[in-house]
Amino acid sequence: MKRPLRALAAAAVLAAGSIVAVALGGTASADTQICEQYGSTVIQGRYVVQNNRWGTTAQQCINVTDSGFEITTQNGSNPTNGAPTAYPSIFLGCHYTNCSPGTNLPIQVSQISSATSSISYRYVSGAVYNASYDIWLDPTPKRDGVNQMEIMIWLNRQGPIQPIGSPVGTTTLAGRTWEVWRGSNGSNNVISYVAPSPISSLSFSVLDFINDVKNRGAITSSWYLTSIQAGFEPWQGGTGLAVTSFSAAVNGGGNPTTPPPTTPPPSTPPPGGSGCAVKYTPNSWSNGFTADVQITNTGSSAVNGWTLAYNLPAGQQVTSAWNATVNQSGSAVTARNLSWNGSLAPGGTASFGYQGTLSGAYTSPTSFTLNGVTCSRS
């Protein structure tokens, strides 16, 4: 929820006129103090440091250095079962029209040959917070507003707080094991990677995390990386927390993908017979589940616009979805393409997923139709 509220506040800042220069910032010298709610400044001629106090009216101040920042005042306090008070951070790329100098972001994922970063934190005791590294992606080269996909890397978690959604397993990235959570905050989808113990510094490939999210069907190579950010989400306290150093570089030279269409083409049925195949990969726990669904056009003609229909077994209810518009009426489910993933060439695939609640034992749906044609299972 931090980004929708940030967008509304940014609009208010622009309307205020006299605050615009403070909100978008200039170039910082060492030990620049920022207390303005959305105040920001530039360091090293390359990165933007932002106060970004979006979840409380209480004062927050940060001291910006030539290599990072420190929270010097944090008077906010929010319940641990809700949103944090702020996200003071340093970033490369574009955040609500505020773009770092000379950035090559947004850049299409397929064009990225490497994306690396290094981060060092200083932690404090007696506070409730996470140390979070955010990676933002969108189907379009978006420079303002809410992106559709947020990757969060939790390098430290203190207090009874947890990521959005539910745990869906573990994975190994950057030479470490992470607990993976998946869900939606109502405005964007979130996949979080949670370290089992605090990490004070890390040098890693940002692209490895992006590729893991892509392999989970949450994005495709045609999406755009818009920003990478490192900072803190405090719930209670947090004075003294600091990013002591930050660096990031995104290099092009990959294989560009044709930009997605701006509007979905009209639906056409796949070729007759076995024109489609569906791979359905679930992950369930005691009272919930997620499912990744991959559709393949096995026919000889292109599919322009698709609707996948099937029935969920009793006790399953969809609560959120990504990469498709998913509706449920009783047991009947329909999943429709978005504007950018409606075209399936012969042999082409489209993936989407969703999260739901579960009552009773889990079972998967058994039959699917694509634009009215029965699909095989793969």
Side-chain angles (χ1 to χ4, degrees), residues 117-130:
S117 186
S118 181
I119 179 72
S120 294
Y121 291 98
R122 185 175 70 241
Y123 299 133
V124 298
S125 59
V128 177
Y129 65 91
N130 70 36

Side-chain angles (χ1 to χ4, degrees), residues 230-241:
F232 301 95
E233 290 186 324
W235 271 258
Q236 298 169 11
T239 297
L241 291 170

Side-chain angles (χ1 to χ4, degrees), residues 179-220:
E179 185 180 53
V180 184
W181 291 60
R182 190 163 184 169
S184 171
N185 62 19
S187 297
N188 57 267
N189 299 313
V190 187
I191 294 181
S192 302
Y193 299 84
V194 182
S197 59
I199 300 172
S200 59
S201 63
L202 186 67
S203 296
F204 65 102
S205 169
V206 175
L207 192 56
D208 286 351
F209 286 87
I210 294 174
N211 285 336
D212 187 75
V213 169
K214 184 175 67 173
N215 292 338
R216 295 173 187 275
I219 66 168
T220 69

Side-chain angles (χ1 to χ4, degrees), residues 289 312-317 357-360:
F289 72 100
L312 281 180
Q316 297 181 23
Q317 181 66 46
T357 57
L358 175 64
S359 175

Side-chain angles (χ1 to χ4, degrees), residues 49-359:
V49 180
Q50 58 179 355
N51 196 28
N52 199 15
R53 173 177 57 82
W54 64 272
T56 180
T57 58
Q59 186 181 51
Q60 174 180 278
C61 297
I62 60 174
N63 184 61
V64 182
T65 69
D66 58 3
S67 61
F69 69 91
E70 176 184 354
I71 300 176
T72 56
T73 304
Q74 172 48 259
N75 294 327
S77 180
N78 282 356
T80 56
N81 62 348
T85 63
Y87 183 51
S89 55
I90 180 171
F91 70 85
L92 176 77
C94 295
H95 178 92
Y96 286 87
T97 71
N98 191 3
C99 294
S100 58
T103 183
N104 61 342
L105 305 184
I107 184 173
Q108 201 166 46
V109 170
S110 62
Q111 294 180 315
I112 301 173
S113 60
S114 66
T116 56
S117 186
S118 181
I119 179 72
S120 294
Y121 291 98
R122 185 175 70 241
Y123 299 133
V124 298
S125 59
V128 177
Y129 65 91
N130 70 36
S132 174
Y133 192 105
D134 273 17
I135 304 167
W136 285 94
L137 301 110
D138 197 78
T140 64
K142 196 166 189 175
R143 291 175 172 83
D144 62 344
V146 182
N147 285 191
Q148 289 192 21
M149 185 72 235
E150 179 183 14
I151 303 171
M152 296 188 72
I153 306 173
W154 288 43
L155 289 95
N156 190 3
R157 169 171 54 168
Q158 295 296 314
I161 56 175
Q162 66 182 41
I164 289 167
S166 304
V168 295
T170 61
T171 192
T172 300
L173 293 167
R176 299 171 181 268
T177 299
W178 309 83
E179 185 180 53
V180 184
W181 291 60
R182 190 163 184 169
S184 171
N185 62 19
S187 297
N188 57 267
N189 299 313
V190 187
I191 294 181
S192 302
Y193 299 84
V194 182
S197 59
I199 300 172
S200 59
S201 63
L202 186 67
S203 296
F204 65 102
S205 169
V206 175
L207 192 56
D208 286 351
F209 286 87
I210 294 174
N211 285 336
D212 187 75
V213 169
K214 184 175 67 173
N215 292 338
R216 295 173 187 275
I219 66 168
T220 69
S221 294
S222 66
W223 282 49
Y224 291 81
L225 171 64
T226 63
S227 70
I228 47 182
Q229 311 177 355
F232 301 95
E233 290 186 324
W235 271 258
Q236 298 169 11
T239 297
L241 291 170
V243 171
T244 57
S245 68
F246 172 84
S247 65
V250 180
N251 298 309
N255 298 311
T257 302
T258 301
T262 56
T263 57
S267 297
T268 59
S274 299
C276 52
V278 172
K279 181 179 180 181
Y280 192 91
T281 306
N283 182 76
S284 63
W285 53 95
S286 59
N287 58 357
F289 72 100
T290 60
D292 289 310
V293 186
Q294 179 176 287
I295 305 166
T296 301
N297 177 9
T298 60
S300 57
S301 302
V303 175
N304 294 314
W306 50 263
T307 298
L308 189 71
Y310 53 97
N311 290 317
L312 281 180
Q316 297 181 23
Q317 181 66 46
V318 175
T319 57
S320 62
W322 46 91
N323 297 346
T325 300
V326 179
N327 294 304
Q328 181 175 356
S329 177
S331 63
V333 174
T334 56
R336 293 182 174 85
N337 65 276
L338 302 181
S339 62
W340 51 270
N341 65 351
S343 296
L344 293 178
T349 63
S351 297
F352 69 94
Y354 52 89
Q355 182 169 326
T357 57
L358 175 64
S359 175

